[in-house]
C-alpha cells in the first residue's frame, strides 16, 4: 500500500532493458540534456508525450496541465517555456491538445467540478471568442471536437505573444511554435496547420487555422 512495489518492479525491468540496449545510456544522459523540443500538453493519462512521439528520455522537455493551456500569469508554464527557450535553446515548442479532452468538455458544458472551474475559465474564453463558429456545428460531439482544436490554436497564439518567445524571435533565435492535436481513438497526431515562426506570421497563421474546416 505504501510502497507501490509493482511500479518499482516495472522501473527496474525498464532500466535493465535500456542498459541492455545501450550500456552507456544513463551515464551519458546524466551528464547533460539537450532536447530539441518543448511539449506543452494535457495532463490526461492517455496522452504521454514521449511514448506517442517515439522519443527517448532526454529528447523532449515536457510541461503538462489540464487542457494544455498557456496562460500569461501562470509562472509554472512560463518558467518552463523560458528555461526551454533561453537555456536549452529548443527549436520547437509543440502545443498538443487531444480530442475527447475532459477539461474542454467541462468548459463547453459549463460543468461545476470545483476549483478547476477557475482554470477552465480560460477554455471558456476560447469558446466565447469563437462562439459563432462553435454554435454553428450540428452536434455536441462536433462542438467539443472543434473547441479542442480552437483551444490549441489559441494557446499557440498565447505562447507566441509571451515576452519569452517574442524576445527570442527579436534576437534572431530560430523557434517554431506548433499546434497539434492527438486522437485518443487511433493514437495519431494531427497537425492543425498552426505553425508560427515569427511575430509577423501570427495573425495570418491564426486566421488560416481558425477558418480551416474541422477535420
Ligand atoms: Co485533456
Amino acid at each position: 500500500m505504501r510502497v507501490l512495489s509493482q511500479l518499482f518492479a516495472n522501473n527496474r525491468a525498464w532500466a535493465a532493458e535500456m542498459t541492455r540496449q545501450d550500456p552507456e545510456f544513463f551515464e551519458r544522459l546524466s551528464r547533460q540534456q539537450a532536447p530539441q523540443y518543448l511539449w506543452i500538453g494535457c495532463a490526461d493519462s492517455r496522452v504521454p508525450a514521449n511514448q506517442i512521439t517515439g522519443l527517448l528520455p532526454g529528447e523532449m522537455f515536457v510541461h503538462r496541465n489540464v487542457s494544455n493551456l498557456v496562460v500569461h500569469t501562470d509562472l509554472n508554464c512560463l518558467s518552463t517555456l523560458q528555461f526551454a527557450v533561453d537555456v536549452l535553446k529548443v527549436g520547437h515548442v509543440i502545443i498538443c491538445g487531444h480530442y475527447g479532452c475532459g477539461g474542454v468538455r467541462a468548459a463547453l458544458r459549463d460543468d461545476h467540478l470545483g476549483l478547476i472551474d477557475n482554470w477552465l475559465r480560460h477554455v471558456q474564453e476560447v469558446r466565447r471568442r469563437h462562439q459563432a463558429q462553435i454554435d454553428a456545428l450540428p452536434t455536441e460531439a462536433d462542438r467539443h471536437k472543434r473547441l479542442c482544436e480552437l483551444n490549441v490554436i489559441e494557446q499557440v497564439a498565447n505562447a507566441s505573444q509571451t515576452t519569452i518567445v517574442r524576445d527570442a524571435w527579436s534576437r534572431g533565435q530560430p523557434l517554431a511554435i506548433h499546434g497539434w492535436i492527438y486522437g485518443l481513438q487511433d493514437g495519431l497526431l494531427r497537425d492543425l496547420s498552426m505553425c508560427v515562426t515569427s511575430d509577423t506570421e501570427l495573425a495570418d497563421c491564426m486566421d488560416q487555422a481558425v477558418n480551416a474546416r474541422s477535420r
Side-chain angles (χ1 to χ4, degrees), residues 170-182:
S170 70
R171 62 180 177 257
Q173 185 176 330
L175 181 62
I177 319 293
H178 306 259
W180 294 358
I181 195 153
Y182 174 77

Side-chain angles (χ1 to χ4, degrees), residues 32-203:
Q32 195 195 346
Q33 65 165 341
Q36 296 174 44
Y37 316 99
L38 165 64
W39 175 276
I40 299 177
C42 185
D44 193 301
S45 63
R46 298 165 294 181
V47 194
N50 281 68
Q51 269 168 288
I52 65 180
T53 52
L55 293 179
L56 289 168
E59 295 184 317
M60 188 142 67
F61 204 59
V62 173
H63 175 84
R64 292 168 64 181
N65 61 42
V66 172
S67 298
N68 40 270
L69 300 180
V70 178
V71 175
H72 287 124
T73 51
D74 177 9
L75 198 56
N76 186 351
C77 182
L78 293 183
S79 300
T80 309
L81 179 63
Q82 190 254 323
F83 188 79
V85 171
D86 291 353
V87 181
L88 298 173
K89 301 215 164 18
V90 299
H92 303 271
V93 175
I94 298 157
I95 298 176
C96 187
H98 66 101
Y99 294 123
C101 183
V104 172
R105 184 188 296 110
L108 186 63
R109 290 181 181 170
D110 245 325
D111 286 344
H112 294 291
L113 302 175
L115 176 69
I116 194 165
D117 298 354
N118 299 284
W119 180 248
L120 295 175
R121 288 296 309 166
H122 297 291
V123 183
Q124 294 191 313
E125 183 61 22
V126 175
R127 182 188 70 178
R128 196 188 60 74
R129 291 182 62 161
H130 302 282
Q131 192 81 54
Q133 183 181 135
I134 289 165
D135 286 353
L137 294 167
T139 67
E140 184 179 282
D142 293 327
R143 291 190 286 275
H144 182 199
K145 194 175 169 208
R146 188 56 180 152
L147 186 54
C148 288
E149 295 173 347
L150 289 167
N151 182 49
V152 171
I153 292 163
E154 289 284 351
Q155 304 316 313
V156 171
N158 287 350
S160 302
Q161 288 164 327
T162 58
T163 51
I164 302 153
V165 170
R166 296 181 61 178
D167 289 351
W169 283 335
S170 70
R171 62 180 177 257
Q173 185 176 330
L175 181 62
I177 319 293
H178 306 259
W180 294 358
I181 195 153
Y182 174 77
L184 296 174
Q185 280 151 335
D186 58 13
L188 295 176
L189 288 165
R190 293 144 179 90
D191 193 321
L192 287 169
S193 304
M194 179 74 183
C195 175
V196 188
T197 64
S198 72
D199 260 342
T200 50
E201 284 175 9
L202 177 60

